[in-house]
Amino acid sequence: MKIGFIGLGNMGAPMAANLAKAGHEVRGFDVAGTVAEEVAEAASAREAATGCAALITMLPNGAILRHVADEIIPAMQPGSTLIDCSTVDVESARAVAAQAEDAGLQAVDAPVSGGIGGATAGTLTFMAGGSERAFNTALPLFEIMGRKTVHCGAPGAGQAAKICNNMLLGISMLGTCEAFALAEKLDLDWQKLFDVVSTSSGACWSVNTYCPAPGIGPSSPADNDYKPGFAAELMLKDLRLSQEAAEAVDAATPMGSRATELYQAFIKAGGEGRDFSAVLAALRGAG
Ligand code: NAD
Protein backbone atom coordinates (compact mmCIF):
# COMPACT_ATOMS: atom_id res chain seq x y z
CA MET A 1 0.00 0.00 0.00
CA LYS A 2 1.15 3.56 -0.70
CA ILE A 3 1.21 5.34 2.66
CA GLY A 4 1.94 8.97 3.49
CA PHE A 5 3.24 9.76 6.98
CA ILE A 6 3.33 13.27 8.43
CA GLY A 7 5.16 13.97 11.69
CA LEU A 8 8.33 11.90 12.00
CA GLY A 9 9.09 12.71 15.65
CA ASN A 10 9.83 10.42 18.59
CA MET A 11 6.73 8.33 17.89
CA GLY A 12 6.09 8.89 14.18
CA ALA A 13 9.57 7.94 12.92
CA PRO A 14 9.60 4.41 14.37
CA MET A 15 5.93 3.86 13.43
CA ALA A 16 6.61 4.87 9.80
CA ALA A 17 9.74 2.71 9.76
CA ASN A 18 7.75 -0.34 10.93
CA LEU A 19 5.24 0.14 8.08
CA ALA A 20 8.09 0.39 5.56
CA LYS A 21 9.81 -2.69 7.00
CA ALA A 22 6.53 -4.60 6.59
CA GLY A 23 6.71 -3.94 2.84
CA HIS A 24 4.58 -0.82 2.41
CA GLU A 25 5.72 2.05 0.24
CA VAL A 26 5.95 4.90 2.76
CA ARG A 27 6.63 8.56 2.02
CA GLY A 28 7.14 10.81 5.03
CA PHE A 29 7.30 14.50 5.81
CA ASP A 30 8.23 16.49 8.91
CA VAL A 31 8.71 20.27 9.11
CA ALA A 32 11.85 19.67 11.18
CA GLY A 33 13.38 17.65 8.32
CA THR A 34 13.54 14.45 10.37
CA VAL A 35 13.54 11.16 8.48
CA ALA A 36 12.71 7.53 9.25
CA GLU A 37 14.43 4.29 8.32
CA GLU A 38 13.44 2.96 4.88
CA VAL A 39 10.92 5.84 4.48
CA ALA A 40 11.18 8.04 1.35
CA GLU A 41 11.33 11.79 1.99
CA ALA A 42 8.56 14.02 0.65
CA ALA A 43 9.24 17.73 0.07
CA SER A 44 5.95 18.80 1.69
CA ALA A 45 2.89 17.45 3.51
CA ARG A 46 0.96 17.89 0.27
CA GLU A 47 3.45 15.76 -1.62
CA ALA A 48 3.27 13.01 1.04
CA ALA A 49 -0.53 13.07 0.75
CA THR A 50 -0.75 12.94 -3.03
CA GLY A 51 -1.56 9.52 -4.48
CA CYS A 52 -1.49 7.59 -1.20
CA ALA A 53 -4.18 5.08 -0.16
CA ALA A 54 -3.72 5.97 3.52
CA LEU A 55 -2.22 9.00 5.18
CA ILE A 56 -1.11 8.87 8.80
CA THR A 57 -0.46 11.94 10.93
CA MET A 58 1.50 11.91 14.24
CA LEU A 59 1.60 15.55 15.35
CA PRO A 60 1.97 17.52 18.60
CA ASN A 61 -1.56 18.96 19.05
CA GLY A 62 -5.00 19.75 17.64
CA ALA A 63 -4.12 23.19 16.24
CA ILE A 64 -1.26 21.73 14.18
CA LEU A 65 -3.45 18.80 13.10
CA ARG A 66 -6.13 21.21 11.82
CA HIS A 67 -3.50 23.26 9.97
CA VAL A 68 -1.99 20.15 8.35
CA ALA A 69 -5.48 18.79 7.53
CA ASP A 70 -6.30 21.98 5.58
CA GLU A 71 -3.23 21.33 3.46
CA ILE A 72 -3.50 17.59 2.90
CA ILE A 73 -7.23 16.86 2.59
CA PRO A 74 -7.59 18.62 -0.79
CA ALA A 75 -4.54 16.70 -2.06
CA MET A 76 -5.83 13.23 -1.10
CA GLN A 77 -7.70 11.05 -3.55
CA PRO A 78 -11.38 10.33 -2.78
CA GLY A 79 -11.83 6.96 -1.08
CA SER A 80 -8.43 7.10 0.61
CA THR A 81 -8.13 7.07 4.39
CA LEU A 82 -6.86 9.73 6.79
CA ILE A 83 -5.63 8.21 10.06
CA ASP A 84 -4.65 10.58 12.84
CA CYS A 85 -2.61 8.90 15.59
CA SER A 86 -1.73 12.11 17.49
CA THR A 87 -3.23 12.83 20.90
CA VAL A 88 -5.47 15.86 20.35
CA ASP A 89 -8.67 17.39 21.74
CA VAL A 90 -11.90 15.56 20.91
CA GLU A 91 -13.23 18.70 19.16
CA SER A 92 -10.33 18.84 16.67
CA ALA A 93 -10.56 15.10 16.02
CA ARG A 94 -14.26 15.41 15.16
CA ALA A 95 -13.74 18.55 13.03
CA VAL A 96 -10.95 16.97 10.98
CA ALA A 97 -12.95 13.75 10.51
CA ALA A 98 -15.97 15.77 9.26
CA GLN A 99 -13.74 17.78 6.91
CA ALA A 100 -12.22 14.57 5.53
CA GLU A 101 -15.60 12.88 5.07
CA ASP A 102 -16.96 15.98 3.27
CA ALA A 103 -14.06 15.61 0.84
CA GLY A 104 -14.99 11.96 0.15
CA LEU A 105 -12.28 10.46 2.35
CA GLN A 106 -12.52 7.97 5.19
CA ALA A 107 -11.29 9.14 8.59
CA VAL A 108 -10.08 7.44 11.75
CA ASP A 109 -8.80 9.04 14.95
CA ALA A 110 -6.48 6.52 16.55
CA PRO A 111 -4.35 7.81 19.41
CA VAL A 112 -1.92 5.34 20.93
CA SER A 113 -0.66 4.16 24.24
CA GLY A 114 2.70 2.47 24.73
CA GLY A 115 5.22 5.30 24.31
CA ILE A 116 8.41 5.42 22.28
CA GLY A 117 9.33 1.87 23.33
CA GLY A 118 6.00 0.57 22.02
CA ALA A 119 6.33 2.59 18.79
CA THR A 120 9.78 1.12 18.15
CA ALA A 121 8.85 -2.45 19.03
CA GLY A 122 5.53 -2.29 17.12
CA THR A 123 3.58 -3.08 20.29
CA LEU A 124 1.38 0.04 20.62
CA THR A 125 -2.27 -0.05 21.67
CA PHE A 126 -4.56 1.84 19.27
CA MET A 127 -7.91 3.25 20.39
CA ALA A 128 -9.87 4.15 17.29
CA GLY A 129 -12.89 6.26 16.38
CA GLY A 130 -14.59 6.26 12.98
CA SER A 131 -16.95 4.30 10.76
CA GLU A 132 -16.72 0.51 10.60
CA ARG A 133 -15.46 0.75 7.02
CA ALA A 134 -12.75 3.32 7.82
CA PHE A 135 -11.67 1.29 10.85
CA ASN A 136 -11.41 -1.93 8.83
CA THR A 137 -9.24 -0.19 6.24
CA ALA A 138 -6.87 1.07 8.93
CA LEU A 139 -6.78 -2.14 11.01
CA PRO A 140 -4.04 -3.98 9.05
CA LEU A 141 -1.78 -0.95 9.54
CA PHE A 142 -2.52 -0.84 13.26
CA GLU A 143 -1.63 -4.53 13.42
CA ILE A 144 1.83 -3.75 12.05
CA MET A 145 2.47 -0.81 14.38
CA GLY A 146 0.78 -2.27 17.43
CA ARG A 147 -0.33 -5.32 19.33
CA LYS A 148 -3.84 -4.34 20.38
CA THR A 149 -6.56 -2.22 18.75
CA VAL A 150 -9.97 -1.29 20.13
CA HIS A 151 -12.65 0.27 17.92
CA CYS A 152 -14.17 2.67 20.44
CA GLY A 153 -17.00 4.15 18.36
CA ALA A 154 -17.73 7.15 16.14
CA PRO A 155 -15.19 9.87 15.18
CA GLY A 156 -13.58 11.32 18.32
CA ALA A 157 -14.21 8.16 20.39
CA GLY A 158 -10.54 7.16 20.16
CA GLN A 159 -9.45 10.50 21.62
CA ALA A 160 -12.15 10.28 24.28
CA ALA A 161 -10.86 6.83 25.35
CA LYS A 162 -7.28 8.10 25.39
CA ILE A 163 -7.94 11.07 27.68
CA CYS A 164 -10.17 9.05 30.03
CA ASN A 165 -7.42 6.42 30.31
CA ASN A 166 -4.66 8.96 30.85
CA MET A 167 -6.68 11.00 33.36
CA LEU A 168 -7.10 7.79 35.36
CA LEU A 169 -3.40 6.98 34.97
CA GLY A 170 -2.36 10.45 36.21
CA ILE A 171 -4.61 10.09 39.24
CA SER A 172 -3.48 6.53 40.01
CA MET A 173 0.20 7.46 39.68
CA LEU A 174 -0.20 10.38 42.09
CA GLY A 175 -2.01 8.11 44.55
CA THR A 176 0.74 5.50 44.21
CA CYS A 177 3.46 8.10 44.82
CA GLU A 178 1.63 9.39 47.91
CA ALA A 179 1.25 5.87 49.31
CA PHE A 180 4.97 5.09 48.88
CA ALA A 181 6.00 8.48 50.34
CA LEU A 182 3.72 7.94 53.35
CA ALA A 183 5.00 4.38 53.86
CA GLU A 184 8.56 5.66 54.05
CA LYS A 185 7.65 8.20 56.76
CA LEU A 186 5.85 5.41 58.65
CA ASP A 187 9.02 3.25 58.48
CA LEU A 188 7.18 0.70 56.36
CA ASP A 189 9.57 -1.13 54.02
CA TRP A 190 8.75 -0.36 50.36
CA GLN A 191 9.15 -3.98 49.29
CA LYS A 192 6.64 -5.05 51.94
CA LEU A 193 4.20 -2.34 50.78
CA PHE A 194 4.60 -3.55 47.20
CA ASP A 195 4.08 -7.19 48.21
CA VAL A 196 0.83 -6.24 49.94
CA VAL A 197 -0.61 -3.66 47.52
CA SER A 198 0.27 -5.46 44.29
CA THR A 199 -1.86 -8.40 45.41
CA SER A 200 -4.55 -6.41 47.25
CA SER A 201 -7.32 -3.96 46.41
CA GLY A 202 -4.87 -1.09 45.82
CA ALA A 203 -3.29 -2.96 42.89
CA CYS A 204 -3.10 -0.97 39.67
CA TRP A 205 -0.77 -0.53 36.70
CA SER A 206 1.09 2.31 38.46
CA VAL A 207 1.99 -0.04 41.32
CA ASN A 208 2.27 -3.45 39.66
CA THR A 209 3.94 -2.60 36.34
CA TYR A 210 5.42 0.89 36.64
CA CYS A 211 6.22 1.28 40.32
CA PRO A 212 7.58 4.79 41.07
CA ALA A 213 9.76 3.48 43.93
CA PRO A 214 13.32 2.67 42.81
CA GLY A 215 14.29 -0.99 43.11
CA ILE A 216 10.70 -2.17 43.66
CA GLY A 217 8.62 -4.25 41.23
CA PRO A 218 9.45 -4.81 37.55
CA SER A 219 12.06 -2.52 36.01
CA SER A 220 10.64 0.98 35.41
CA PRO A 221 11.91 4.58 34.87
CA ALA A 222 12.34 4.83 38.68
CA ASP A 223 15.26 2.40 38.24
CA ASN A 224 16.83 4.66 35.61
CA ASP A 225 16.92 7.96 37.50
CA TYR A 226 13.37 8.71 36.26
CA LYS A 227 14.42 9.18 32.63
CA PRO A 228 11.17 8.92 30.60
CA GLY A 229 9.31 6.60 29.85
CA PHE A 230 6.40 8.94 29.73
CA ALA A 231 7.51 12.49 30.44
CA ALA A 232 5.63 14.56 33.03
CA GLU A 233 4.87 17.27 30.46
CA LEU A 234 3.13 14.71 28.20
CA MET A 235 1.02 13.61 31.17
CA LEU A 236 0.16 17.26 31.81
CA LYS A 237 -0.82 17.69 28.15
CA ASP A 238 -3.24 14.74 28.39
CA LEU A 239 -4.64 15.90 31.75
CA ARG A 240 -5.30 19.33 30.28
CA LEU A 241 -7.10 17.72 27.33
CA SER A 242 -9.22 15.74 29.79
CA GLN A 243 -10.16 18.94 31.63
CA GLU A 244 -10.99 20.78 28.39
CA ALA A 245 -13.23 17.90 27.38
CA ALA A 246 -14.83 17.69 30.85
CA GLU A 247 -15.59 21.40 30.77
CA ALA A 248 -17.11 21.16 27.29
CA VAL A 249 -19.61 18.49 28.38
CA ASP A 250 -20.03 19.66 31.98
CA ALA A 251 -18.60 16.46 33.53
CA ALA A 252 -17.41 16.53 37.14
CA THR A 253 -13.75 15.46 37.36
CA PRO A 254 -12.49 16.84 40.69
CA MET A 255 -9.60 14.35 40.90
CA GLY A 256 -8.64 14.98 37.26
CA SER A 257 -8.65 18.69 37.99
CA ARG A 258 -6.43 18.24 41.07
CA ALA A 259 -4.08 15.91 39.18
CA THR A 260 -3.71 18.60 36.51
CA GLU A 261 -2.76 21.18 39.17
CA LEU A 262 -0.30 18.80 40.82
CA TYR A 263 1.50 17.94 37.56
CA GLN A 264 1.58 21.64 36.67
CA ALA A 265 3.25 22.39 40.02
CA PHE A 266 5.64 19.44 39.62
CA ILE A 267 6.78 20.71 36.21
CA LYS A 268 7.13 24.29 37.45
CA ALA A 269 9.36 22.99 40.25
CA GLY A 270 11.75 21.38 37.73
CA GLY A 271 9.98 18.18 36.73
CA GLU A 272 10.09 18.83 32.98
CA GLY A 273 11.95 16.09 31.11
CA ARG A 274 11.55 13.63 33.99
CA ASP A 275 9.27 10.64 33.98
CA PHE A 276 5.77 11.27 35.35
CA SER A 277 6.48 8.80 38.18
CA ALA A 278 9.23 11.15 39.52
CA VAL A 279 6.51 12.84 41.59
CA LEU A 280 7.56 10.32 44.26
CA ALA A 281 11.06 11.87 44.36
CA ALA A 282 9.50 15.33 44.74
CA LEU A 283 7.20 14.16 47.56
CA ARG A 284 10.21 12.69 49.39
CA GLY A 285 12.05 15.98 48.91
CA ALA A 286 14.74 14.09 47.00
CA GLY A 287 14.63 16.11 43.81
P1 NAD B 1 7.39 14.86 18.75
O1 NAD B 1 7.38 16.30 19.12
O2 NAD B 1 8.65 14.07 18.92
O3 NAD B 1 6.92 14.69 17.21
C1 NAD B 1 6.01 15.53 16.55
C2 NAD B 1 6.60 15.83 15.19
O4 NAD B 1 5.67 16.60 14.43
C3 NAD B 1 7.89 16.66 15.27
O5 NAD B 1 8.95 15.97 14.65
C4 NAD B 1 7.53 17.96 14.55
O6 NAD B 1 8.62 18.53 13.82
C5 NAD B 1 6.42 17.49 13.63
N1 NAD B 1 5.58 18.58 13.16
C6 NAD B 1 5.10 19.65 13.86
N2 NAD B 1 4.36 20.44 13.05
C7 NAD B 1 4.36 19.86 11.82
C8 NAD B 1 3.79 20.20 10.58
N3 NAD B 1 3.04 21.31 10.43
N4 NAD B 1 4.00 19.38 9.51
C9 NAD B 1 4.77 18.27 9.64
N5 NAD B 1 5.36 17.89 10.80
C10 NAD B 1 5.14 18.68 11.88
O7 NAD B 1 6.20 14.19 19.56
P2 NAD B 1 5.95 12.62 19.80
O8 NAD B 1 6.49 12.23 21.12
O9 NAD B 1 6.35 11.86 18.57
O10 NAD B 1 4.36 12.62 19.95
C11 NAD B 1 3.49 12.73 18.83
C12 NAD B 1 2.06 12.60 19.31
O11 NAD B 1 1.89 11.35 19.96
C13 NAD B 1 1.64 13.68 20.33
O12 NAD B 1 0.31 14.05 20.04
C14 NAD B 1 1.77 12.98 21.65
O13 NAD B 1 0.89 13.50 22.63
C15 NAD B 1 1.39 11.55 21.28
N6 NAD B 1 1.95 10.51 22.15
C16 NAD B 1 3.24 10.56 22.53
C17 NAD B 1 3.75 9.56 23.35
C18 NAD B 1 5.20 9.56 23.79
O14 NAD B 1 5.53 8.79 24.71
N7 NAD B 1 6.07 10.36 23.20
C19 NAD B 1 2.92 8.51 23.77
C20 NAD B 1 1.60 8.46 23.33
C21 NAD B 1 1.12 9.48 22.52
Side-chain angles (χ1 to χ4, degrees), residues 4-202:
F5 206 114
I6 298 175
L8 300 171
N10 288 318
M11 298 288 291
M15 289 164 71
N18 284 336
L19 291 170
K21 284 176 198 159
H24 291 293
E25 193 184 318
V26 188
R27 245 182 333 164
F29 174 75
D30 191 296
V31 273
T34 49
V35 291
E37 245 177 285
E38 294 184 34
V39 172
E41 245 183 289
S44 65
R46 225 187 134 74
E47 191 186 303
T50 306
C52 63
L55 183 84
I56 302 177
T57 47
M58 194 51 168
L59 297 163
N61 60 48
I64 294 176
L65 171 66
R66 286 179 192 242
H67 172 78
V68 168
D70 285 341
E71 191 182 342
I72 57 178
I73 287 175
M76 290 177 69
Q77 59 194 18
S80 61
T81 307
L82 175 59
I83 305 165
D84 177 45
C85 294
S86 332
T87 302
V88 303
D89 55 289
V90 177
E91 220 22 65
S92 293
R94 288 187 179 147
V96 167
Q99 191 181 346
E101 282 165 5
D102 285 349
L105 310 176
Q106 305 191 78
V108 185
D109 57 289
V112 303
S113 151
I116 300 164
T120 307
T123 57
L124 293 168
T125 294
F126 287 84
M127 35 218 119
S131 70
E132 200 65 39
R133 187 162 155 251
F135 174 76
N136 285 334
T137 309
L139 185 59
L141 305 182
F142 297 150
E143 284 171 346
I144 293 167
M145 298 183 284
R147 198 158 47 189
K148 166 107 185 131
T149 302
V150 180
H151 187 194
C152 300
Q159 297 295 348
K162 168 84 188 178
I163 56 170
C164 289
N165 179 72
N166 280 22
M167 183 178 78
L168 178 56
L169 172 62
I171 294 166
S172 79
M173 179 54 79
L174 289 169
T176 301
C177 290
E178 289 186 7
F180 276 85
L182 174 62
E184 186 174 41
K185 291 264 161 81
L186 295 173
D187 292 326
L188 171 61
D189 184 74
W190 275 350
Q191 186 61 52
K192 301 293 178 200
L193 177 67
F194 178 85
D195 292 346
V196 171
V197 174
S198 64
T199 54
S200 300
S201 47

